[in-house]
Amino acid sequence: EAQVTQNPRYLITVTGKKLTVTCSQNMNHEYMSWYRQDPGLGLRQIYYSMNVEVTDKGDVPEGYKVSRKEKRNFPLILESPSPNQTSLYFCASSPGGGYYGYTFGSGTRLTVV
Amino acid sequence: DQQVKQNSPSLSVQEGRISILNCDYTNSMFDYFLWYKKYPAEGPTFLISISSIKDKNEDGRFTVFLNKSAKHLSLHIVPSQPGDSAVYFCAASSKTGNQFYFGTGTSLTVIP
């Protein structure tokens, strides 16, 4: 089944403790992206990648890192999480962005206390 | 600043009637416009898209209309079904297709 897989689905952590949310897609898509969803703000793009080793900032990149060493994987790294990063995170992939749209994972609910 | 806006947080429609969801944007450089549907505890699902060279795109019960001069797009669902009850997001991107901007969503409830 074609899908984007994120792990974990739920995570509670403490301020300052580094964490990684993994994302993997099995559709051989070139584009991958991370979003966060917050009440009243919709989905906001954190980082995106158009190919292996090519990444760029989205709208809200502060406090996040990404890497794209393989085409299928696009992990999101929070080096020192803070409570304002408590949010619902989505990873997504696309064959070419734009008109094709993105296929989203099921989300990771992160709480930073 | 929000470049894509959905001004109606919620909408209720009777089953079988038309649902019209609206979206406005500010950036005239956007080339692609998309609608996504989201159920609770799931990721958004791509529904339909339209490029800026068109003013209408249809897929079954779903039709998207684009009015470039007004910087406005709408999604029509006819006839509405209870399974259409979800949050609908509109999104826009430039021709390069890498950066996407989403609206805040409209929660649609279809009443049986």
Side-chain angles (χ1 to χ4, degrees):
Chain A
E1 183 190 348
Q3 59 186 358
V4 176
T5 303
Q6 299 177 226
N7 281 298
R9 288 295 305 271
Y10 301 92
L11 179 60
I12 301 174
T13 190
V14 296
T15 299
K17 186 176 180 183
K18 180 179 178 179
L19 67 91
T20 299
V21 184
T22 64
C23 174
S24 180
Q25 51 97 0
N26 63 0
M27 296 167 280
N28 201 37
H29 283 170
E30 301 286 336
Y31 286 45
M32 295 188 76
S33 188
W34 276 101
Y35 294 84
R36 61 177 287 175
Q37 184 186 1
D38 302 290
L41 296 175
L43 289 107
R44 293 179 294 168
Q45 197 170 30
I46 302 170
Y47 269 95
Y48 60 90
S49 169
M50 295 166 69
N51 212 329
V52 175
E53 303 291 2
V54 179
T55 64
D56 209 344
K57 297 176 181 178
D59 269 347
V60 287
E62 294 78 20
Y64 304 95
K65 281 176 59 176
V66 293
S67 69
R68 187 97 182 270
K69 292 182 171 42
E70 305 165 280
K71 196 172 188 178
R72 61 183 289 126
N73 295 324
F74 192 45
L76 180 69
I77 303 156
L78 285 74
E79 295 269 2
S80 182
S82 62
N84 64 12
Q85 293 178 297
T86 293
S87 187
L88 179 58
Y89 291 87
F90 290 101
C91 180
S93 72
S94 172
Y99 190 76
Y100 299 100
Y102 275 84
T103 300
F104 281 79
S106 298
T108 296
R109 171 79 61 186
L110 172 66
T111 302
V112 184
V113 298
Chain B
D1 191 28
Q2 199 82 21
Q3 298 195 47
V4 178
K5 297 177 185 176
Q6 293 175 259
N7 293 318
S8 299
S10 62
L11 175 68
S12 290
V13 171
Q14 287 290 134
E15 181 178 4
R17 306 293 291 267
I18 184 171
S19 294
I20 300 176
L21 296 101
N22 294 304
C23 180
D24 297 296
Y25 62 95
T26 57
N27 190 340
S28 58
M29 300 300 290
F30 287 146
D31 274 305
Y32 302 108
F33 303 89
L34 305 91
W35 284 95
Y36 283 83
K37 176 179 175 179
K38 185 182 181 303
Y39 293 118
E42 293 183 14
T45 303
F46 172 69
L47 205 52
I48 191 169
S49 61
I50 188 168
S51 75
S52 60
I53 62 172
K54 293 189 168 186
D55 53 20
K56 177 182 173 181
N57 190 26
E58 212 169 334
D59 184 1
R61 296 186 297 115
F62 302 92
T63 303
V64 56
F65 295 92
L66 176 62
N67 182 335
K68 288 190 291 294
S69 60
K71 294 193 179 68
H72 177 84
L73 67 153
S74 61
L75 175 68
H76 292 209
I77 307 173
V78 184
S80 300
Q81 299 172 354
D84 295 330
S85 297
V87 177
Y88 289 78
F89 291 97
C90 67
S93 79
S94 62
K95 189 160 284 184
T96 55
N98 44 24
Q99 282 195 281
F100 272 71
Y101 298 90
F102 281 81
T104 52
T106 297
S107 179
L108 173 66
T109 302
V110 180
I111 303 163

